[in-house]
Amino acid sequence: MQGQSREGRVITGGAVQFPGPDGVMLAGHVDVPDGPAQAFAVFAHAFTFSKDTVAASRIARALTESGIAVLRFDFAGLGSSEGDFSDTSFSSNIADIDAASNFLREHYEAPSILIGHSLGGAAVLGAAHRIPEVRAVVTLGAPADPAHVAHLFDESREEIEECGHATVTLAGRKFTIRREFLQDIESQPQRDRIRGLDAALLILHSPIDEIVAIDNARQLYDTARHPKSFVTIDGANHLLTDRRDAAYVASIIAAWSSRYTRTEQAPAPAEPDLAAPDGTVTVTEANEGIYAQHIAAGKHRLRADEPEPIGDDTGPSPYDLLLASLGSCTSMTIRMYANRKNWPLDGVHVSLRHSRVHAKDCAACETTKGYIDHIERDIRITGDLDDEQRARLMEIADRCPVHRTLHSEIHVTTREAS
């Protein structure tokens, strides 16, 4: 998984490790956008969970589509990180977020956004003052005070106080909770941190949250200074297990945070004026790398490049774009025909590959010498269609205009433009 920094440097995503404050190795995963990363974020997961929860992974991946790179990581003693959970505390969680930010600062770019889910939301509020580059903080279903989690141990509270520790079951797993953990969450100056937050705050909370009541969002909002925003995630559960809720959250974060992180961005290279009449496509060099090209088709902007090591792989190759043209035309043509016939077509998936083969190896080709261009097109049609309907749709695929163009005589007139 590769993307770009705002300066055009190639950045690689995937699994990472970095040292925590006590020397234990913390495990993380960096999700990077395909194009330039407009901002970097740290995602802190919910209490006793991990970086690979549905909410963390889905939101991180969705944010990359808006140009935000995300480091999600496991707190010490959880997930793939080293350490003993019983030795951790809310204060150590804050220190872990600081360590994650240091890792981004050293290897990528310092985070300008902190995102925390549930108790992780309280932790990013506690960590924000340690990270000077942070301009935006986002909480998802977060408690107004970390001591909120103490109610999870009500049945074992007496044992913890008397024995110094107890084994509790949380989300179906057993954890050892020490007296020091309870003392730590109860001694946090969280209200002062929220009131003194030197960053914009976005509070996302579900009105039907069954773990952290919506009143916590009100307390957070009332305590924080402006700029602050509150958005309800209507109908969502606390863990955001519905894919649509995660996508909605990511879209809100991306749109909201851009107001506060864009001032940190290096100015984007000016794109040339590619205005052209309808029906005309214009292409001009991007002046970035060796072969990168800007493409304009009406109001739409595309990118083309050659793959590494020939080019910088900042966009599809010319042949990729050719395949995309044939594939999209094929899918649209099948859809139009099925809709006219009112056939129950659920979906169309077209996969294409281009190669050059010996003409003698092509039994259906008229050319017998040299090489020819060969395109393989695989079409998957889904829906409650009978065999006759499927066969007809496969025939229609060959009637798409781009397919016909590729099979017809083509004459290209080339002249020097003034």
PDB file of all heavy atoms in Angstrom, residues 108-122:
ATOM      1  N   TYR A 108       6.790   9.813   8.947  1.00  0.00           N
ATOM      2  CA  TYR A 108       5.838  10.303   7.945  1.00  0.00           C
ATOM      3  C   TYR A 108       5.684  11.817   8.076  1.00  0.00           C
ATOM      4  O   TYR A 108       6.392  12.581   7.458  1.00  0.00           O
ATOM      5  CB  TYR A 108       4.474   9.622   8.114  1.00  0.00           C
ATOM      6  CG  TYR A 108       4.467   8.144   7.824  1.00  0.00           C
ATOM      7  CD1 TYR A 108       4.810   7.213   8.817  1.00  0.00           C
ATOM      8  CD2 TYR A 108       4.103   7.659   6.576  1.00  0.00           C
ATOM      9  CE1 TYR A 108       4.803   5.852   8.551  1.00  0.00           C
ATOM     10  CE2 TYR A 108       4.081   6.300   6.294  1.00  0.00           C
ATOM     11  CZ  TYR A 108       4.441   5.397   7.289  1.00  0.00           C
ATOM     12  OH  TYR A 108       4.433   4.053   7.027  1.00  0.00           O
ATOM     13  N   GLU A 109       4.743  12.210   8.888  1.00  0.00           N
ATOM     14  CA  GLU A 109       4.447  13.619   9.143  1.00  0.00           C
ATOM     15  C   GLU A 109       3.671  13.669  10.448  1.00  0.00           C
ATOM     16  O   GLU A 109       2.840  12.806  10.723  1.00  0.00           O
ATOM     17  CB  GLU A 109       3.617  14.196   7.989  1.00  0.00           C
ATOM     18  CG  GLU A 109       3.228  15.646   8.142  1.00  0.00           C
ATOM     19  CD  GLU A 109       2.352  16.115   6.997  1.00  0.00           C
ATOM     20  OE1 GLU A 109       2.788  15.981   5.830  1.00  0.00           O
ATOM     21  OE2 GLU A 109       1.243  16.618   7.253  1.00  0.00           O
ATOM     22  N   ALA A 110       3.931  14.678  11.260  1.00  0.00           N
ATOM     23  CA  ALA A 110       3.255  14.777  12.548  1.00  0.00           C
ATOM     24  C   ALA A 110       1.742  14.846  12.349  1.00  0.00           C
ATOM     25  O   ALA A 110       1.260  15.473  11.399  1.00  0.00           O
ATOM     26  CB  ALA A 110       3.743  15.995  13.302  1.00  0.00           C
ATOM     27  N   PRO A 111       0.972  14.215  13.225  1.00  0.00           N
ATOM     28  CA  PRO A 111      -0.484  14.222  13.051  1.00  0.00           C
ATOM     29  C   PRO A 111      -1.074  15.593  13.341  1.00  0.00           C
ATOM     30  O   PRO A 111      -0.712  16.252  14.315  1.00  0.00           O
ATOM     31  CB  PRO A 111      -0.963  13.187  14.069  1.00  0.00           C
ATOM     32  CG  PRO A 111       0.082  13.218  15.148  1.00  0.00           C
ATOM     33  CD  PRO A 111       1.382  13.454  14.430  1.00  0.00           C
ATOM     34  N   SER A 112      -1.998  16.015  12.496  1.00  0.00           N
ATOM     35  CA  SER A 112      -2.749  17.240  12.761  1.00  0.00           C
ATOM     36  C   SER A 112      -4.145  16.910  13.278  1.00  0.00           C
ATOM     37  O   SER A 112      -4.885  17.800  13.681  1.00  0.00           O
ATOM     38  CB  SER A 112      -2.846  18.092  11.495  1.00  0.00           C
ATOM     39  OG  SER A 112      -3.410  17.353  10.425  1.00  0.00           O
ATOM     40  N   ILE A 113      -4.495  15.602  13.268  1.00  0.00           N
ATOM     41  CA  ILE A 113      -5.818  15.157  13.727  1.00  0.00           C
ATOM     42  C   ILE A 113      -5.654  14.001  14.708  1.00  0.00           C
ATOM     43  O   ILE A 113      -4.883  13.072  14.452  1.00  0.00           O
ATOM     44  CB  ILE A 113      -6.692  14.679  12.546  1.00  0.00           C
ATOM     45  CG1 ILE A 113      -6.741  15.722  11.430  1.00  0.00           C
ATOM     46  CG2 ILE A 113      -8.102  14.333  13.017  1.00  0.00           C
ATOM     47  CD1 ILE A 113      -7.372  15.198  10.146  1.00  0.00           C
ATOM     48  N   LEU A 114      -6.358  14.057  15.823  1.00  0.00           N
ATOM     49  CA  LEU A 114      -6.449  12.941  16.761  1.00  0.00           C
ATOM     50  C   LEU A 114      -7.898  12.469  16.783  1.00  0.00           C
ATOM     51  O   LEU A 114      -8.815  13.290  16.917  1.00  0.00           O
ATOM     52  CB  LEU A 114      -6.023  13.347  18.165  1.00  0.00           C
ATOM     53  CG  LEU A 114      -4.578  13.796  18.385  1.00  0.00           C
ATOM     54  CD1 LEU A 114      -4.351  14.110  19.855  1.00  0.00           C
ATOM     55  CD2 LEU A 114      -3.587  12.739  17.912  1.00  0.00           C
ATOM     56  N   ILE A 115      -8.103  11.160  16.659  1.00  0.00           N
ATOM     57  CA  ILE A 115      -9.449  10.579  16.664  1.00  0.00           C
ATOM     58  C   ILE A 115      -9.485   9.502  17.741  1.00  0.00           C
ATOM     59  O   ILE A 115      -8.613   8.634  17.779  1.00  0.00           O
ATOM     60  CB  ILE A 115      -9.799   9.958  15.301  1.00  0.00           C
ATOM     61  CG1 ILE A 115      -9.603  10.970  14.167  1.00  0.00           C
ATOM     62  CG2 ILE A 115     -11.233   9.428  15.294  1.00  0.00           C
ATOM     63  CD1 ILE A 115      -9.673  10.351  12.774  1.00  0.00           C
ATOM     64  N   GLY A 116     -10.478   9.549  18.607  1.00  0.00           N
ATOM     65  CA  GLY A 116     -10.576   8.551  19.665  1.00  0.00           C
ATOM     66  C   GLY A 116     -11.979   8.004  19.805  1.00  0.00           C
ATOM     67  O   GLY A 116     -12.964   8.751  19.765  1.00  0.00           O
ATOM     68  N   HIS A 117     -12.071   6.687  19.967  1.00  0.00           N
ATOM     69  CA  HIS A 117     -13.358   6.011  20.086  1.00  0.00           C
ATOM     70  C   HIS A 117     -13.567   5.579  21.533  1.00  0.00           C
ATOM     71  O   HIS A 117     -12.698   4.934  22.122  1.00  0.00           O
ATOM     72  CB  HIS A 117     -13.380   4.791  19.158  1.00  0.00           C
ATOM     73  CG  HIS A 117     -14.698   4.082  19.123  1.00  0.00           C
ATOM     74  ND1 HIS A 117     -14.832   2.784  18.683  1.00  0.00           N
ATOM     75  CD2 HIS A 117     -15.952   4.485  19.463  1.00  0.00           C
ATOM     76  CE1 HIS A 117     -16.097   2.419  18.751  1.00  0.00           C
ATOM     77  NE2 HIS A 117     -16.797   3.433  19.225  1.00  0.00           N
ATOM     78  N   SER A 118     -14.712   5.948  22.121  1.00  0.00           N
ATOM     79  CA  SER A 118     -15.061   5.576  23.485  1.00  0.00           C
ATOM     80  C   SER A 118     -13.996   6.109  24.458  1.00  0.00           C
ATOM     81  O   SER A 118     -13.691   7.303  24.434  1.00  0.00           O
ATOM     82  CB  SER A 118     -15.224   4.052  23.582  1.00  0.00           C
ATOM     83  OG  SER A 118     -15.870   3.699  24.785  1.00  0.00           O
ATOM     84  N   LEU A 119     -13.383   5.235  25.287  1.00  0.00           N
ATOM     85  CA  LEU A 119     -12.354   5.725  26.202  1.00  0.00           C
ATOM     86  C   LEU A 119     -11.154   6.273  25.434  1.00  0.00           C
ATOM     87  O   LEU A 119     -10.445   7.151  25.921  1.00  0.00           O
ATOM     88  CB  LEU A 119     -11.904   4.619  27.154  1.00  0.00           C
ATOM     89  CG  LEU A 119     -11.011   5.075  28.321  1.00  0.00           C
ATOM     90  CD1 LEU A 119     -11.754   6.044  29.227  1.00  0.00           C
ATOM     91  CD2 LEU A 119     -10.498   3.882  29.122  1.00  0.00           C
ATOM     92  N   GLY A 120     -10.946   5.772  24.211  1.00  0.00           N
ATOM     93  CA  GLY A 120      -9.903   6.340  23.359  1.00  0.00           C
ATOM     94  C   GLY A 120     -10.175   7.805  23.056  1.00  0.00           C
ATOM     95  O   GLY A 120      -9.242   8.594  22.852  1.00  0.00           O
ATOM     96  N   GLY A 121     -11.459   8.188  23.003  1.00  0.00           N
ATOM     97  CA  GLY A 121     -11.811   9.587  22.804  1.00  0.00           C
ATOM     98  C   GLY A 121     -11.385  10.437  23.984  1.00  0.00           C
ATOM     99  O   GLY A 121     -10.887  11.556  23.819  1.00  0.00           O
ATOM    100  N   ALA A 122     -11.602   9.915  25.188  1.00  0.00           N
ATOM    101  CA  ALA A 122     -11.135  10.635  26.376  1.00  0.00           C
ATOM    102  C   ALA A 122      -9.615  10.731  26.375  1.00  0.00           C
ATOM    103  O   ALA A 122      -9.037  11.746  26.780  1.00  0.00           O
ATOM    104  CB  ALA A 122     -11.632   9.925  27.637  1.00  0.00           C
TER     105      ALA A 122
END
